[in-house]
């Protein structure tokens, strides 16, 4: 299911639920006043303490929700930084290897292309669906390391390039390990329990304010519930550092290695 479809369904369900409950509650109150004109029924004034408590609950929940959005956004940004660092390190290897003979450059390029193609086309969907990396990706990166480490420099120029190339492989490996440690969801279950419970309480407090059936009241109630659903969707979507579907988060690889990162 598309993320946008999930958002639309969540907002529609939240809005419809609140509006249906509001209408049914107003009808119940109307039946209580037997034989009375619904427009003549006086709505009980909401106590000041109830308004204060409703406001405070809304403020507290807004703070918690804002912190949750900031947390998952920061985690996603950090994950994307590691992806860019990994892709850039591999790209630097292809550029710095120009001092080596053509056959060595070709072997390095072949192994790096194989690694990038595997990461984008096979490993990325596995990360999203199963929250784990594949062992084959590590083997392919080891092949790149062996291409450099097992060939002694043949001249002074190669000797100067040797250590930087080894360092770039280490950077790519470190970024890969960081990617492996951040494939899971950011927020623990207890936080989600608090967010969902807080949303239900916050939306439920609408009905303590003696909401009626006027267009203005129903519109505001529907918009408020839809806003809560939208914010929860943002948290859910950002809670996956590399997205919920597709390979958009692998953009650093597809930009630097456009030929090898395409579909197999």
């Amino acid at each position: 299911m598309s993320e946008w479809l999930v958002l639309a369904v969540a907002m529609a369900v939240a809005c419809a639920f609140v509006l249906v409950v509001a209408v049914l509650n107003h009808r119940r109150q109307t039946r209580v006043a037997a034989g009375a004109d619904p427009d003549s029924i006086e709505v009980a004034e909401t106590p000041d303490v109830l308004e204060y408590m409703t406001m405070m609950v809304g403020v507290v929940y807004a703070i918690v929700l804002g912190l949750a959005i900031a947390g998952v956004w920061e985690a996603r940004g950090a994950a994307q930084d590691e992806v860019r660092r990994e892709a850039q390190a591999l790209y630097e290897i292809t550029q710095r290897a120009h001092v080596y003979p053509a056959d060595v450059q070709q072997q390095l390029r072949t192994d790096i292309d194989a690694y990038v193609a595997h990461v984008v086309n096979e490993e990325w969907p596995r990360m999203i669906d199963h929250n784990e990396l594949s062992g084959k990706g590590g083997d392919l990166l080891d092949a790149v390391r062996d291409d450099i480490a097992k060939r002694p420099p043949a001249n002074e120029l190669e000797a100067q390039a040797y250590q930087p190339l080894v360092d770039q492989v280490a950077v790519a490996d470190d970024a890969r390990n960081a990617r492996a440690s951040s494939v899971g969801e950011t927020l623990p279950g207890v936080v989600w329990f608090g967010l969902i419970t807080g949303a239900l309480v916050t939306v439920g407090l609408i009905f303590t304010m003696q909401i009626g059936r006027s267009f203005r009241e129903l519109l505001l109630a529907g918009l408020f519930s839809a806003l809560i659903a939208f914010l929860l969707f943002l948290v859910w979507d950002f809670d996956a550092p590399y997205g919920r579907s597709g390979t958009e988060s692998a953009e650093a690889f597809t930009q630097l290695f456009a030929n090898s990162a395409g579909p197999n």
Side-chain angles (χ1 to χ4, degrees):
M1 182 181 293
S2 170
E3 294 180 10
W4 291 107
L5 181 58
V6 172
L7 172 60
V9 170
M11 294 179 66
V13 169
C15 185
F17 175 78
V18 170
L19 294 181
V20 168
V21 173
V23 171
L24 293 178
N25 183 57
H26 188 271
R27 287 181 177 178
R28 182 188 61 82
Q29 293 177 354
T30 302
R31 286 195 298 267
V32 171
D37 183 359
D39 295 332
S40 65
I41 298 176
E42 293 185 0
V43 179
E45 183 178 355
T46 304
D48 292 340
V49 64
L50 189 57
E51 292 183 355
Y52 175 77
M53 292 175 62
T54 301
M55 179 188 66
M56 289 305 299
V57 169
V59 170
V60 171
Y61 183 68
I63 294 174
V64 173
L65 194 56
L67 290 176
I69 294 175
V72 294
W73 178 264
E74 182 179 358
R76 172 169 286 195
Q80 290 302 307
D81 288 342
E82 295 299 335
V83 173
R84 285 190 291 269
R85 191 162 67 98
E86 181 181 0
Q88 185 63 40
L90 294 173
Y91 181 75
E92 284 294 321
I93 293 174
T94 63
Q95 299 304 304
R96 292 174 181 267
H98 287 168
V99 299
Y100 283 84
D103 59 330
V104 178
Q105 295 182 41
Q106 182 60 39
Q107 183 62 45
L108 267 174
R109 183 73 193 201
T110 299
D111 289 341
I112 290 176
D113 286 347
Y115 174 76
V116 171
H118 173 75
V119 166
V120 174
N121 299 317
E122 299 181 32
E123 194 167 70
W124 223 263
R126 185 184 184 92
M127 287 167 48
I128 294 174
D129 296 335
H130 304 289
N131 295 332
E132 62 181 9
L133 274 62
S134 65
K136 183 180 178 181
D139 295 338
L140 292 174
L141 187 58
D142 288 339
V144 176
R145 180 184 287 107
D146 291 342
D147 291 341
I148 300 172
K150 292 185 177 181
R151 183 187 184 280
N155 53 50
E156 182 65 24
L157 193 58
E158 291 185 12
Q160 293 178 1
Y162 175 79
Q163 190 58 48
L165 288 174
V166 173
D167 292 341
Q168 291 299 323
V169 175
V171 170
D173 192 24
D174 181 64
R176 174 182 172 82
N177 292 332
R179 178 159 57 88
S181 65
S182 61
V183 293
E185 295 182 346
T186 305
L187 298 180
V190 64
V191 176
W192 272 112
F193 175 79
L195 289 175
I196 295 175
T197 302
L200 294 176
V201 172
T202 303
V203 174
L205 287 175
I206 295 176
F207 304 107
T208 66
M209 307 302 292
Q210 302 295 337
I211 183 173
R213 289 183 58 182
S214 69
F215 173 77
R216 181 174 56 185
E217 291 174 298
L218 293 179
L219 177 62
L220 291 176
L223 291 177
F224 179 74
S225 58
L227 175 62
I228 295 295
F230 173 72
L231 294 176
L232 286 177
F233 170 82
L234 284 183
V235 178
W236 172 79
D237 188 44
F238 292 156
D239 194 30
Y242 300 101
R244 297 285 178 181
S245 61
T247 59
E248 292 82 3
S249 53
E251 184 179 2
F253 284 104
T254 58
Q255 286 182 342
L256 295 177
F257 302 94
N259 295 327
S260 56
N264 290 330

